[in-house]
Amino acid sequence: MTNDVIIIGAGPAGLSAAITCAKHGMNVVVIDEYYKPGGRLLGQLYEEPDGSWWNGIKESDKLYNQAINSGVQLKLSVPVINIERQGTEWNVFTNMETLQANNLLVATGAAESPAPVPGWTLPGVMSVGAAQVMTNVQRVKPGEKGIIIGVNVLSAAIAQELKLANISVESMTLPKINSMNHDYAIPKNVVNSLLHVSHLSPSPIIKIGSNLMKYKLINKLALKFYPNKGIKMWDIPIQLKKAVTQIYGTDKVEGVTIANVDDYGQIIPKSEKSIEVDFVCISGGLYPLAELAAIAGCPFYMIEELGGYVPLHNERMETPLSGLFVAGNITGIEGAKVAAAQGTVAGLSIVNNTLNSAFEFELEEAIKQVRIIREENPIQFHPHIQNGRKKMQKYWNEYFANNQESFII
Amino acid sequence: MSDKSMIICRCEEVTYEELIETAEKHKCSARELKLRTRAGMGYCGGRTCRNMVESIPRQYLPNKEQLGLVTLKYQPPIRPVHFGDLGGDET
Ligand SMILES: Cc1cc2nc3c(=O)[nH]c(=O)nc-3n(C[C@H](O)[C@H](O)[C@H](O)COP(=O)(O)OP(=O)(O)OC[C@H]3O[C@@H](n4cnc5c(N)ncnc54)[C@H](O)[C@@H]3O)c2cc1C
C-alpha cells in the first residue's frame, strides 16, 4: 500500500508535520529509531525568560497525543536505513520492511560532534547529550561528580540540568587544542561565540553572557580580564582559560588532568593539576543529521551558521527532489519551537502540493510564523542563524536559475 | 596517554597520529584520508568520527577551495543491520 506521507523522525518537527497532514485527511506514517516519541525534545528542561519551565517530556506527550488522536500511525524502534525514489513514489527501507509513500519528509534532527581528548574512549566519558538523556529521560545518574569539556549553549543548558538533578559538576572547561577542534578549544573563539549568543538566550547563557558582557565593554580585552578561576554559573565555574589535557583511569574514568592555557589555547607549562571525577561529558556542538537526504541525492551546501552541511531547501521545506521535504534541525541547528513550526510548514506544503495549491494562504502564514518564532526564540545555537537562512535561500534561487527544468523528477 | 595514541575511529582503531601523518604526507582530501586509513569505514559507518576525519585535511590541503564541496559520502545502509534481516527469512 502506498501511504500519502511517510515522516522519518518523531521529534518536534516530524510530529508537528504529521499532525498537520493527518488533520487534512492524509494517511501518515511516522518512523523513529528511538523507542519513545519526542526526539531531542525529551531531554529538555529549562526555565524560560518569563520564569515558566519548558519540560520536554510534557511537550513530547502533548505532540504524541495529538498525533495519535488525529490518526497518525507511529512505528517506534525502527531505524530507516535507506530511501530511494522509484517512479512517482519514495521507497523507505527499514531494518524490517520497505514502505512506500507519495511524499517523504526527512526530519531526522541533529547529532553531536565529539570533542576528543586523550583518554576519551574510557568508560565514563560521554557526550553531554548522553548525560542529558540519562538524567532527564532515563532518570539515571551519569555519576556522582563530573566535568564538562566544551563550553557552548548546549553544554551550559545541560550543566544546569545536571545540577537540578543534584549531580555535582566540578567545572565546565575547554578541551586541549588539536587539529580538529580550533572552534571550541581556542579561548578567543569560544569567547566570541558566547558573546554573540548572550543577549537572546535563556537563563544559563544570560548569566554567562551578562557576566561576560561586563568585559565586552573592553571588547577584545574580554579574555585578558577573564578571571583565572572562572566565572560561576549556579556554582559551576566556567573556565575559559583552562583545558583538559587528559582523561585518566584504569578501567574507567578516575579523573582528569587540567592545565592553564593562553588566549590561543596553548598549554602553559607546569600548570597541570589532577582533578578526581567519575564521569566526563564532552561537547563539540551539534550538526544537522542529513544522511538520508544525502543518499536520496539532494544537493548539499556547507553553511557554518546552520551548523554544517545542509540539504538544499526553500522556506516551504521543499527540496529539489520531487516529493521530498525536510524540516527541523536537519535544515540547521535551532531550538525545538522553531523545529515544530518548520514541521507545520512542511505538513502544509505537502497538503498544498497534493490538493492543487488550495492551502497557499495557510502555508504563507505558517512560514511567517517560523520567522516570528525564530526571532523570539530564547535558545539560539548560532548567533548568525538568520544569515545562514538567507544564504540557503540564495543557493536555492541560484540552483533554479541554473537548472531550468525546476524539480528533479 | 598522549595525543598521538588517542583513538579517533573506534571501530577500526585508527589513531590521531595515523590520521595527521597521512594527511600531512599526502595532502589529501577527507575521502582519500578515509580510504588510506580506514577511519570511518567500520561497523558504525563513521557515525562518531566522521566530522573529525573531515576536519583534519583542512589544515594540510594546499588548495582550500577543494574543501567547500568535498564531503565524505554517505552510503546505505546508514545503520547497522543484521544479515538475517537483510537476507529475509531465517531458515
Ligand atoms: C543532544 C542534544 C540536546 C539538545 N538540547 C536542546 C535543548 O536543551 N534546547 C533546545 O531548544 N534544543 C536542543 N537541542 C536541539 C534539538 O535538536 C531541537 O530542539 C529539536 O529537538 C529538533 O527537532 P527535530 O524534530 O528537528 O529533531 P529531533 O528532535 O532530533 O528528532 C529527530 C528524530 O529522528 C530520529 N531519527 C534520526 N535518524 C533516523 C533514522 N535513520 N531512522 C529513524 N529515525 C531516525 C531520531 O531518533 C529522533 O527521534 C538538542 C539537540 C541535541 C542533539
Side-chain angles (χ1 to χ4, degrees):
Chain A
M1 187 197 101
T2 303
N3 299 283
D4 293 330
V5 191
I6 291 179
I7 296 174
I8 308 170
L15 288 178
S16 302
I19 294 164
T20 307
C21 290
K23 281 194 174 152
H24 288 87
M26 302 184 101
N27 86 49
V28 185
V29 178
V30 177
I31 307 172
D32 200 297
E33 60 187 333
Y34 202 53
Y35 66 95
K36 279 187 183 185
R40 287 303 180 172
L41 189 51
L42 284 169
Q44 301 179 13
L45 183 65
Y46 56 82
E47 203 177 345
E48 299 267 19
D50 69 5
S52 64
W53 283 82
W54 175 258
N55 179 340
I57 292 181
K58 283 202 186 135
E59 298 297 326
S60 300
D61 282 348
K62 266 193 233 164
L63 285 172
Y64 171 74
N65 288 330
Q66 256 180 293
I68 294 300
N69 293 338
S70 11
V72 171
Q73 192 193 338
L74 244 89
K75 289 180 185 277
L76 298 172
S77 305
V78 178
V80 173
I81 56 171
N82 190 11
I83 58 176
E84 198 178 73
R85 192 167 171 85
Q86 198 172 49
T88 58
E89 287 179 3
W90 283 96
N91 281 328
V92 176
F93 301 86
T94 72
N95 59 344
M96 292 302 182
E97 55 180 336
T98 305
L99 301 156
Q100 280 83 29
N102 294 316
N103 298 286
L104 178 59
L105 169 63
V106 184
T108 44
E112 298 184 82
S113 290
V117 169
W120 75 301
T121 41
L122 277 172
V125 184
M126 63 195 83
S127 71
V128 270
Q132 183 184 46
V133 170
M134 283 174 88
T135 310
N136 293 349
V137 184
Q138 321 285 6
R139 307 286 162 130
V140 175
K141 278 188 176 185
E144 293 304 323
K145 182 181 162 203
I147 188 164
I148 298 179
I149 306 177
V151 180
N152 53 51
V153 177
L154 181 66
S155 65
I158 296 173
Q160 186 190 28
E161 294 170 7
L162 293 173
K163 194 84 193 178
L164 285 171
N166 246 328
I167 297 162
S168 148
V169 179
E170 167 70 29
S171 69
M172 294 181 63
T173 185
L174 307 180
K176 178 183 176 189
I177 190 170
N178 61 40
S179 284
M180 302 167 292
N181 64 12
H182 289 190
D183 289 348
Y184 53 89
I186 297 183
K188 271 182 182 282
N189 298 351
V190 177
V191 166
N192 240 335
S193 62
L194 289 177
L195 280 179
H196 287 290
V197 141
S198 57
H199 65 294
L200 282 165
S201 292
S203 49
I205 311 301
I206 287 172
K207 284 182 191 137
I208 312 183
S210 60
N211 276 318
L212 279 178
M213 277 303 185
K214 289 190 256 171
Y215 302 99
K216 196 191 178 183
L217 300 175
I218 26 182
N219 212 335
K220 288 212 174 97
L221 293 175
L223 202 55
K224 188 162 177 230
F225 289 97
Y226 195 86
N228 252 332
K229 59 178 184 359
I231 288 174
K232 281 197 176 173
M233 175 184 79
W234 325 283
D235 271 351
I236 304 172
I238 306 193
Q239 314 271 17
L240 298 178
K241 287 174 143 178
K242 289 184 201 258
V244 170
T245 57
Q246 184 181 204
I247 303 167
Y248 62 80
T250 317
D251 299 316
K252 57 185 175 64
V253 173
E254 290 166 20
V256 297
T257 311
I258 190 165
N260 295 343
V261 294
D262 68 16
D263 293 2
Y264 300 94
Q266 299 302 323
I267 307 284
I268 295 170
K270 301 212 176 91
S271 64
E272 276 149 334
K273 274 205 301 216
S274 304
I275 298 174
E276 275 181 31
V277 291
D278 66 352
F279 74 101
V280 176
C281 300
I282 55 178
S283 178
L286 300 174
Y287 67 92
L289 189 59
E291 317 144 284
L292 288 170
I295 286 176
C298 199
F300 269 73
Y301 293 88
M302 170 75 193
I303 302 182
E304 209 193 307
E305 295 92 332
L306 301 181
Y309 288 97
V310 179
L312 183 63
H313 64 276
N314 62 12
E315 280 196 310
R316 298 172 163 240
M317 301 291 127
E318 295 167 320
T319 71
L321 307 184
S322 153
L324 185 74
F325 300 78
V326 287
N329 274 205
I330 185 178
T331 72
I333 307 303
E334 295 194 72
K337 289 178 190 168
V338 176
Q342 287 179 319
T344 304
V345 170
L348 280 170
S349 230
I350 292 170
V351 172
N352 194 48
N353 286 3
T354 312
L355 301 175
N356 297 320
S357 305
F359 287 86
E360 201 55 43
F361 175 75
E362 286 83 351
L363 179 54
E364 297 285 341
E365 287 303 305
I367 291 172
K368 276 187 209 148
Q369 203 54 35
V370 173
R371 293 197 201 116
I372 294 171
I373 293 175
R374 176 169 295 137
E375 269 162 36
E376 290 171 355
N377 198 30
I379 285 232
Q380 293 239 339
F381 288 92
H382 200 289
H384 303 299
I385 186 84
Q386 308 270 17
N387 268 354
R389 294 289 172 200
K390 277 189 202 132
K391 280 187 195 166
M392 179 47 85
Q393 190 61 43
K394 198 177 123 249
Y395 286 131
W396 177 270
N397 297 341
E398 282 170 12
Y399 185 88
F400 280 92
N402 299 334
N403 296 267
Q404 301 294 348
E405 72 272 26
S406 75
F407 286 85
I408 303 171
I409 307 291
Chain B
M1 192 207 242
S2 72
D3 281 8
K4 289 186 171 170
S5 52
M6 173 165 79
I7 299 272
I8 298 301
C9 170
R10 297 182 188 203
C11 304
E12 295 287 316
E13 299 199 344
V14 184
T15 62
Y16 180 66
E17 180 176 37
E18 208 178 326
L19 287 166
I20 294 291
E21 282 179 356
T22 309
E24 223 165 348
K25 183 164 165 209
H26 299 283
K27 314 244 176 298
C28 55
S29 67
R31 178 168 164 72
E32 190 177 332
L33 182 62
K34 166 177 125 173
L35 294 173
R36 283 184 182 279
T37 60
R38 286 201 56 81
M41 293 175 74
Y43 174 81
C44 85
R47 290 185 77 195
T48 313
C49 67
R50 181 188 182 91
N51 283 9
M52 298 184 274
V53 175
E54 236 163 26
S55 70
I56 287 176
R58 279 180 205 159
Q59 284 131 81
Y60 304 102
L61 261 189
N63 178 6
K64 304 277 178 209
E65 310 262 282
Q66 277 171 270
L67 285 171
L69 297 168
V70 202
T71 159
L72 292 177
K73 202 176 161 198
Y74 284 105
Q75 297 195 105
I78 57 159
R79 297 288 182 274
V81 188
H82 292 290
F83 278 122
D85 291 339
L86 268 184
D89 101 83
E90 305 227 334
T91 48

